[in-house]
Amino acid sequence: MATQRRSPLALAVLALLVEAPMHPYRMQQLIKQRHKGDVINVRQRTSLYQTIDRLLRGGLIDIRETGRDGNAPERTVYEVTESGRDTCRIWMREMLSAPGREFPEFPAAIAFLPLLSPDDVRRQLDMRIVAIEAEIVRIDTGMRAAKDIVLPRLFSLESEYVRAMLTAELEWVRGVVDDLSQGTITWSPEWLHEVSEHFSKAGTFARS
């Protein structure tokens, strides 16, 4: 059997099926009800079905039964295999112990800031600050609700982590916006051309 490519959604499917056999709609419901949507993307049901199909072909899950409840559409109930249980634990240990090489959009955009003007970048980052602040408020609201129902901290650790990452990002983005506003970070087409010429010459010299 080929090595299975892990992903947060694949891990979630296996973890839920370790709890009990269930159909995809139930998986999606539980992820949302348990507020795991901050770390598991189930907004597109197609992605969930594609992941399930991949795990099925890999022998990590199996079909338990297919049936219909009254006039409801036919639903397939899946169950985890022993190989799936073992793989789930292996993925957990790997994800916890070693940082993964992830490639989110934001750092990629940061890498190509000169495509926009400094003022344009500052405006976009100002909007990002507002969005991050709103997201932190949303997470705080959810965490207060969890505290009110005396939910053990174990079940909201991922929200704590997401909040910590957002708080760090917010501080960094605010610092960059300040530097852009003060002109300590800036650029122009002429300056970019000069820098490009300088490093081109430096590169040619280094290779000669």
Side-chain angles (χ1 to χ4, degrees):
M1 182 178 63
T3 302
Q4 288 292 306
R5 177 175 56 85
R6 73 174 189 247
S7 72
L9 185 53
L11 175 67
V13 170
L14 291 179
L16 288 171
L17 293 180
V18 167
E19 289 185 25
M22 64 185 73
H23 50 74
Y25 180 65
R26 179 59 176 161
M27 297 178 198
Q28 192 178 38
Q29 278 185 316
L30 285 177
I31 290 172
K32 291 180 178 179
Q33 289 172 2
R34 296 175 180 179
H35 304 287
K36 305 303 181 186
D38 290 334
V39 292
I40 307 294
N41 185 0
V42 288
R43 286 173 292 183
Q44 298 295 330
R45 196 175 299 179
T46 302
S47 298
L48 176 59
Y49 281 106
Q50 289 174 343
T51 299
I52 288 172
D53 183 61
R54 180 165 55 84
L55 295 174
L56 185 64
R57 286 186 280 108
L60 301 186
I61 64 175
D62 206 351
I63 295 176
R64 175 75 170 265
E65 61 185 21
T66 301
R68 177 182 283 109
D69 185 10
N71 294 325
E74 187 174 77
R75 286 176 175 169
T76 301
V77 175
Y78 296 90
E79 62 184 357
V80 69
T81 64
E82 283 305 311
S83 177
R85 290 176 185 272
D86 292 340
T87 298
C88 186
R89 295 188 185 96
I90 291 171
W91 285 355
M92 280 290 297
R93 294 183 182 112
E94 290 175 347
M95 289 177 169
L96 287 171
S97 62
R101 285 184 57 81
E102 300 171 349
F103 300 92
E105 294 180 347
F106 183 55
I110 291 295
F112 297 101
L113 285 187
L115 290 173
L116 302 177
S117 70
D119 285 343
D120 195 356
V121 169
R122 181 178 53 77
R123 287 193 298 270
Q124 306 313 314
L125 292 181
D126 277 336
M127 288 190 288
R128 188 177 188 91
I129 287 172
V130 173
I132 293 174
E133 290 173 338
E135 185 65 7
I136 290 175
V137 170
R138 186 191 66 79
I139 291 174
D140 286 346
T141 301
M143 291 178 67
R144 281 195 299 270
K147 188 175 182 180
D148 289 342
I149 63 173
V150 200
L151 184 71
R153 186 184 175 203
L154 171 65
F155 300 109
S156 60
L157 285 175
E158 76 281 359
S159 294
E160 289 185 18
Y161 173 81
V162 171
R163 190 191 190 286
M165 295 300 101
L166 286 172
T167 301
E169 180 182 330
L170 181 60
E171 181 180 357
W172 183 84
V173 173
R174 283 173 172 165
V176 172
V177 166
D178 286 343
D179 287 340
L180 287 167
S181 299
Q182 296 167 14
T184 54
I185 296 178
T186 191
W187 58 91
S188 66
E190 296 76 19
W191 181 83
L192 291 171
H193 178 72
E194 291 178 7
V195 171
S196 177
E197 287 290 312
H198 171 76
F199 282 102
S200 293
K201 291 178 181 178
T204 301
F205 178 80
R207 289 193 297 271
S208 61

